[in-house]
Structures are given as C-alpha cells and as structure tokens.
Amino acid sequence: MTGPANSLEVRDVSAGYGGSDIITSVTLAAAQGRITTIAGPNGAGKSTLMKTLAGLLRPRLGQI
Ligand SMILES: Nc1ncnc2c1ncn2[C@@H]1O[C@H](COP(=O)(O)OP(=O)(O)O)[C@@H](O)[C@H]1O
Ligand SMILES: [Mg+2]
C-alpha cells in the first residue's frame, strides 16, 4: 500500500544569517492531510526553518 503523497519534502537543507548556518542538513517530509510539528528549545532554529520553507530565507544547501 502507498501512503498519502508528501506535499512538502525537504532534503539536507542548511540555512542561516550572515556567515553562520543556523540549521544544517534538515531532512523531513510532511504528508498531505496530516499535521506536522517542529519542536525544540528556544534558539534551536524552528523559526529559521519556517522562514526557509516559506521562501523568506534562501537555503544554502539542499532542496525544498
Ligand atoms: N535575523 C537574524 N540574524 C541573525 N541571527 C538570527 C536571526 N534570527 C535568528 N537568529 C539566530 O538564529 C538562532 C535560531 O533562532 P530561531 O530560528 O529564531 O530559533 P527558534 O525559533 O527555534 O527559537 C538563534 O541563535 C538566533 O539568535
Ligand atoms: Mg521561533
């Protein structure tokens, strides 16, 4: 059986500000019709990941 198609696939994405990477080698898939969450402590890079997924930050490496 095959599951629902992924509406979002992220492979090995790195992104950050200025000279430093904040997120490195992020790989995830979010399936259509499912709720996907990201969790982590303050400053872990959750907002940076969301900005990258939204196109506000350009990934330095990887594919979305
Ligand atoms: N615009 C920015 N310029 C430089 N550093 C930033 C900027 N926004 C966030 N950071 C840094 O990136 C790291 C991750 O922040 P952020 O993505 O906001 O984490 P979270 O959302 O998980 O709390 C922190 O060290 C933060 O200081
Ligand atoms: Mg945040």
Side-chain angles (χ1 to χ4, degrees):
M1 283 202 301
T2 56
N6 289 326
S7 51
L8 176 67
E9 292 192 40
V10 178
R11 290 195 196 90
D12 284 327
V13 164
S14 298
Y17 313 93
S20 51
D21 285 349
I22 299 296
I23 55 172
T24 54
S25 299
V26 173
T27 296
L28 64 88
Q32 193 172 354
R34 305 281 301 265
I35 294 172
T36 301
T37 66
I38 54 171
N42 203 17
K46 303 179 298 293
S47 292
T48 300
L49 174 60
M50 291 306 295
K51 286 177 201 168
T52 306
L53 300 184
L56 299 174
L57 267 182
R58 181 181 291 270
R60 292 171 172 172
L61 292 171
Q63 295 175 302
I64 299 169

